[in-house]
Amino acid sequence: MSERLETLKKARERMVDDRDAFAKTLAAPFDRDKAERARSKFIEIQALIDAIDRAIAGERTGSAAA
């Protein structure tokens, strides 16, 4: 497996861990300030995870074509 693909997978794993922390905040008893920040960060991180997933798919497609 390419070094780039490994790096992307590690980055995705780290972002999933970060996202999970914000999900726990959202699941906790409601605190308006914390919930608003957690919701915003959750969405931001999920968008990043989706982008990393696309990069991984592109890397796999590029590897198969080569």
Side-chain angles (χ1 to χ4, degrees):
M1 195 173 312
S2 79
E3 184 178 338
R4 257 187 298 198
L5 188 54
E6 280 299 316
T7 300
L8 288 167
K9 287 182 175 185
K10 287 177 185 176
R12 185 186 191 285
E13 186 177 326
R14 181 168 295 152
M15 291 302 99
V16 168
D17 290 343
D18 287 353
R19 181 196 61 192
D20 289 349
F22 289 110
K24 287 178 184 178
T25 301
L26 290 170
F30 186 73
D31 176 322
R32 185 178 185 95
D33 291 335
K34 286 183 182 179
E36 287 178 0
R37 181 176 186 282
R39 185 172 39 244
S40 174
K41 293 300 287 182
F42 183 93
I43 291 167
E44 179 183 320
I45 292 171
Q46 184 58 48
L48 179 55
I49 291 169
D50 293 342
I52 292 171
D53 285 343
R54 290 190 303 273
I56 289 170
E59 192 67 27
R60 286 182 176 152
T61 301
S63 295

